[in-house]
């Protein structure tokens, strides 16, 4: 019986791809975090994705 990736064992092909081409998932997560931080700075320090409450 073959094991699947969801059974706790590392997936060998993923490790090979990371060695050959870099960890694209980690790089995308880092880029997303940088983009979110930059957006928050541009929006005046409020957290990106969370609307600022305005009082009239």
């Amino acid at each position: 019986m073959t094991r699947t990736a969801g059974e706790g064992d590392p997936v060998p092909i993923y490790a090979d791809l990371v060695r050959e081409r870099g960890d694209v998932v980690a790089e995308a997560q880092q880029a997303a975090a940088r983009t979110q931080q930059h957006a928050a700075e541009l929006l005046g320090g409020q957290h990106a994705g969370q609307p600022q409450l305005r009082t009239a």
Side-chain angles (χ1 to χ4, degrees):
M1 180 166 120
T2 20
R3 300 184 75 130
T4 64
E7 294 179 355
D9 291 334
V11 181
I13 193 163
Y14 184 75
D16 291 342
L17 288 171
V18 168
R19 274 195 301 279
E20 292 173 12
R21 302 186 182 236
D23 194 343
V24 177
V25 174
E27 291 172 18
Q29 289 172 333
Q30 291 170 354
R34 285 191 305 270
T35 301
Q36 187 174 17
Q37 177 64 34
H38 188 230
E41 290 170 5
L42 291 173
L43 294 171
Q46 70 187 29
H47 294 287
Q50 295 179 353
Q52 185 176 17
L53 296 176
R54 297 178 191 241
T55 55

